[in-house]
Amino acid sequence: MRVIIKDDKQQVAEWAAQYVAYKINHFRPSPKRPFVLGLPTGSTPLGMYAELIKLNKAGKISFENVVTFNMDEYIGLEPSHPQSYHYFMFENFFNHIDIQHKNIHILDGMTKDFAKECRSYELAIKEAGGVHLFIGGVGEDGHIAFNEPFSSLCSRTRVKTLTESTIKANSRFFDGDLSKVPTMALTVGVATITEAEEVMILATGANKAQALKHGIEGGVSHVWTISALQCHPHGIIVCDKPATGALQEATVNYFLDVERNNF
Ligand code: GLP
């Protein structure tokens, strides 16, 4: 696994956006051969989205032949709800870039048939040829997408019950009111993510320090689902210094050393 350590969250945003632009441009996507991108929500990727919008407006990257699959969606929130992940994605990214709406995929949290929705999502990813680059954030308890602790590392898209810790952490988007936070979500599985050709997880802030410690230095375990990245041939964690706060000094020095000349 690669661990890219940057000074602050702005540098993380810039590095991640440049990397996405590089991957898409290098791939030279076409209508018949689109680039398939997995996308997250949350506060962490906001800076990356802002940078990607800038690159798109500057003509340095186009999303015209990019197909996207979002990681997750709350159950019970209309797409027009300001805290739904549908709303988040259009507000913070899709409305500002040249992506074609038919290429956007987000799980439908209002569906009456969850099993069918999840099956169709997995099928759509397969039909698109698989994800080239899956980008994610990480929860304080190490969850990726909504794969809460003890999610199977072989899991696929399905319904998940959110833990108290996640509901508490996400209540900041719901006026701090825990009762307004949905308790369930649809989410891609750990295996759906790790099946991508490449996985890039962004982590900023000291509150992610334990997740990184367990994900990087701990063993592979369903307790911290981010640790599944250790089994991926092309896993990258892009983080700021505060997020490395619980890592051993030698670990930090190792990654700073080996990545010093890399993109
Ligand atoms: C939610 C999302 C995750 C995200 C996590 C962290 O639980 N389902 O995909 O990684 O929040 O969010 P933040 O980046 O706001 O800390």
Side-chain angles (χ1 to χ4, degrees):
M1 152 197 312
R2 295 181 64 190
V3 180
I4 315 289
I5 303 168
K6 296 287 164 193
D7 287 341
D8 53 40
K9 65 178 186 180
Q10 179 53 27
Q11 283 187 18
V12 168
E14 285 166 16
W15 194 95
Q18 289 292 343
Y19 192 72
V20 172
Y22 162 76
K23 293 303 282 192
I24 294 174
N25 288 336
H26 189 74
F27 188 84
R28 295 176 181 274
S30 65
K32 284 204 169 134
R33 192 172 156 271
F35 188 86
V36 184
L37 195 57
L39 294 175
T41 55
S43 51
T44 313
L46 280 172
M48 176 191 72
Y49 288 140
E51 291 300 318
L52 284 172
I53 292 167
K54 277 193 220 160
L55 292 173
N56 185 232
K57 293 207 184 305
K60 296 199 167 133
I61 182 183
S62 169
F63 293 91
E64 211 183 326
N65 295 312
V66 173
V67 169
T68 63
F69 286 91
N70 261 82
M71 294 188 124
D72 43 17
E73 177 58 288
Y74 288 117
I75 288 179
L77 295 191
E78 295 280 358
S80 58
H81 189 292
Q83 294 313 330
S84 77
Y85 287 171
H86 274 79
Y87 189 95
F88 174 103
M89 288 309 299
F90 281 90
E91 185 74 2
N92 295 301
F93 195 38
F94 296 146
N95 285 343
H96 312 283
I97 58 171
D98 62 344
I99 194 162
Q100 303 183 61
H101 278 216
K102 70 174 175 64
N103 286 344
I104 296 170
H105 301 84
I106 307 179
L107 283 155
D108 177 8
M110 295 301 291
T111 182
K112 290 205 167 64
D113 190 340
F114 297 130
K116 187 171 167 219
E117 174 67 11
C118 295
R119 267 198 318 273
S120 313
Y121 208 67
E122 288 280 339
L123 197 66
I125 294 176
K126 215 171 181 180
E127 281 172 2
V131 176
H132 293 111
L133 174 63
F134 223 129
I135 307 169
V138 60
E140 292 176 22
D141 57 6
H143 72 254
I144 49 175
F146 267 130
N147 293 288
E148 298 282 33
F150 305 105
S151 289
S152 164
L153 300 185
C154 303
S155 52
R156 317 295 318 193
T157 305
R158 67 211 185 290
V159 175
K160 278 300 285 182
T161 302
L162 306 186
T163 62
E164 216 182 306
S165 144
T166 297
I167 291 172
K168 213 167 167 186
N170 291 0
S171 66
R172 68 190 192 279
F173 301 114
F174 293 82
D175 313 318
D177 184 347
L178 267 66
S179 70
K180 286 188 186 162
V181 186
T183 56
M184 295 176 92
L186 293 178
T187 180
V188 294
V190 178
T192 319
I193 298 170
T194 54
E195 226 169 65
E197 270 178 28
E198 199 166 0
V199 181
M200 177 169 77
I201 301 292
L202 313 180
T204 56
N207 57 333
K208 303 295 167 68
Q210 286 303 315
L212 287 205
K213 174 184 145 105
H214 290 274
I216 297 169
E217 293 177 338
V220 175
S221 161
H222 59 176
V223 185
W224 300 81
T225 54
I226 186 180
S227 67
L229 210 60
Q230 292 179 27
C231 299
H232 196 284
H234 302 290
I236 310 181
I237 292 180
V238 193
C239 58
D240 64 1
K241 288 240 167 85
T244 66
L247 293 176
Q248 292 177 39
E249 209 183 320
T251 307
V252 173
N253 289 340
Y254 168 80
F255 285 112
L256 286 173
D257 181 30
V258 292
E259 293 291 350
R260 69 189 179 281
N261 296 324
N262 294 344
F263 173 69

